[in-house]
Amino acid sequence: MKITVQIASVPDRDNLVAELWCEDEQWGEISQETENPILEIYPRTNGKNDKIWSFDLTEMIEKLTDAQKRISQNI
């Protein structure tokens, strides 16, 4: 599974967010609306409730760290 990060300006946030994607499905978002960054994790939307999100931990840590740096630089 390919994990990507997209920096976005969304209407319900004052600051930029990092959207977290797995292939074509957004699974989470990092925002900086408070003093500490907040990670929101979304449920799967593909109708497969029996499927859980499963990621390579090392890759996930790298992607989350990258996302946090990128939104911090753009505020």
Side-chain angles (χ1 to χ4, degrees):
M1 288 193 284
K2 183 177 179 182
I3 301 167
T4 57
V5 175
Q6 294 181 352
I7 303 302
S9 175
V10 294
D12 61 332
R13 305 278 189 200
D14 291 330
N15 298 313
L16 294 175
V17 300
E19 296 178 339
L20 307 170
W21 292 82
C22 181
E23 298 179 7
D24 64 348
E25 188 171 357
Q26 185 179 3
W27 64 269
E29 177 181 284
I30 299 174
S31 64
Q32 291 206 166
E33 300 298 308
T34 62
E35 184 176 328
N36 294 318
I38 301 296
L39 170 62
E40 294 181 352
I41 299 175
Y42 305 145
R44 291 187 73 104
T45 60
N46 62 3
K48 297 180 182 176
N49 293 330
D50 60 326
K51 299 285 185 175
I52 60 169
W53 288 112
S54 179
F55 301 107
D56 177 279
L57 181 59
T58 301
E59 181 182 10
M60 182 56 60
I61 290 169
E62 290 171 2
K63 296 294 183 178
L64 292 174
T65 301
D66 177 56
Q68 183 178 4
K69 285 179 187 175
R70 290 172 61 190
I71 62 172
S72 295
Q73 294 170 352
N74 287 299
I75 292 179

